[in-house]
Every structure is written in structure tokens, then in C-alpha cells.
Amino acid sequence: MARGERGGQGLARVAVVVRAGAAPLWWFGVFGAGIGALVPGVTGRRIGVMAGAALFLLAAAVVALVRRKRYAALVRGAARAGRYDVLQDRAVTVRSWRRGHRWWLLLAFAVALGSSFAVPAAGGMLLAGAGTGLRLKAAWLGRRERAGDTLLWVRVDWLDKRGGSPAGKAVKGLRGTGIAAGDAAPGGARRRTAALV
């Protein structure tokens, strides 16, 4: 739902959207690397694992840092959420992202496995690095939320058709609520006890 009652908008937590892909990429990467390490490959396991470690670090750094200036600009310009805006549950946001990206995730896993015949484990470690980078980016957003004592939200209808890109071109600005709003903690993790809005 994009529009609530009396003109309010459906809002999704920015950090939750960012974090939604972290776990599937990490686990697909771990399984891909584990299975890939069983294959000798063209380069051999030792070189494959060393290359994979380098790719892991590179992917984590790139994913964590990409578009950070865009996020920072949106954070600085965040407006207060309206009275009738509807805050989307964390589970709904995560499910939307994962459904929208399921075929991309499966394709990435298949490519990671296939690459093991050339460079064992490297493809899986690359995926795991991307997942780690998303978690690091969400943690960075969480620090910004705590520093500003404001949770950051994006209009659902401004996300792309797969439920992602919370800092994409379609996003005109973010909205903010109090730190206790919604059912996700700063950074997008699940709250231990859901707060009442």
C-alpha cells in the first residue's frame, strides 16, 4: 500500500531495505564457497581461496561505501513523517525485497557455483562479501539514526519494482520518525520487543 488514509503515504524503513539482502547473499555465498572448495578447479583450491578472500574484502568495501554521499544528502534533508503516514512492518519490507530479487539471488548462486570449476570458492566468497557490505551499510545508517535520534523511512511507491533502491533516482527525499517508531531497531535489525507506535 503506497497511500494511507487521509493522504498519508506508506513508508518503509531505509535500513531494513538495505539490510534485506544481507542474509541471503551471505548464506548463498557461504554455501557456494563451501561447495566450490570441493572442486579442484583450474587454479587449485589454495589460489581459489586466496582470490576469494581478496574478492570478499573488495565486495564488502565497495557495497558498504557505494552511494554513501547520496544517502548522507537524503538523511540531511529528511522531513518529519506525517500524522497519517503508514509505517510498513519490517517483515513486509524484507519479504518484498527478497521476493523481488529471488531470481537474481538464485542466478548469482548458480554463477558462483559454476565459477568454482575455474577458481574454487571465489564466487561464493564474493557473494558473502556483498552480503557483509550490505550489513555494514545498514549499520552505518543505524549510527546516523542514533546520532540524529530519528528513524529514516522512504515512500514505498518510490522504491523500484523489486522493492529496493531506497536511494535511487525516484526517491525525492526521506522521512523521519521518533526512535521508538516501528518494529525495527536503528540499522534495521529486528527489535527484541516491538515498540508501540
Side-chain angles (χ1 to χ4, degrees):
M1 180 186 296
R3 186 174 292 276
E5 296 180 357
R6 304 188 187 183
Q9 300 291 335
L11 303 179
R13 277 287 302 286
V14 176
V16 172
V17 177
V18 170
R19 189 186 174 100
L25 282 170
W26 168 261
W27 286 113
F28 274 133
V30 168
F31 288 131
I35 296 170
L38 301 176
V39 181
V42 174
T43 63
R45 292 187 184 91
R46 182 172 176 274
I47 293 176
V49 170
M50 289 176 64
L55 288 172
F56 176 93
L57 294 173
L58 180 63
V62 169
V63 172
L65 296 173
V66 70
R67 308 207 76 183
R68 186 168 284 197
K69 288 183 179 179
R70 167 71 171 157
Y71 279 99
L74 288 170
V75 170
R76 287 193 298 270
R80 194 70 179 170
R83 180 178 179 182
Y84 297 105
D85 287 337
V86 179
L87 307 183
Q88 184 167 274
D89 290 344
R90 180 184 186 277
V92 175
T93 303
V94 171
R95 184 166 58 246
S96 176
W97 190 98
R98 292 181 181 173
R99 282 181 178 172
H101 291 81
R102 62 188 181 276
W103 297 116
W104 290 103
L105 291 168
L106 290 171
L107 178 61
F109 180 62
V111 170
L113 286 180
S115 69
S116 294
F117 290 98
V119 188
M125 294 177 79
L126 176 65
L127 284 186
T132 299
L134 288 176
R135 191 173 293 270
L136 291 172
K137 179 177 287 184
W140 172 75
L141 285 167
R143 290 192 295 274
R144 299 293 297 257
E145 289 179 322
R146 288 188 185 92
D149 203 31
T150 302
L151 299 183
L152 300 167
W153 303 78
V154 61
R155 278 176 48 170
V156 173
D157 59 338
W158 284 350
L159 298 175
D160 66 20
K161 61 183 179 180
R162 293 186 295 275
S165 297
K169 291 182 179 179
V171 177
K172 310 285 193 301
L174 302 181
R175 297 193 186 180
T177 63
I179 205 75
D183 62 350
R190 185 183 295 108
R191 290 189 193 274
R192 292 183 180 179
T193 302
L196 295 177
V197 179

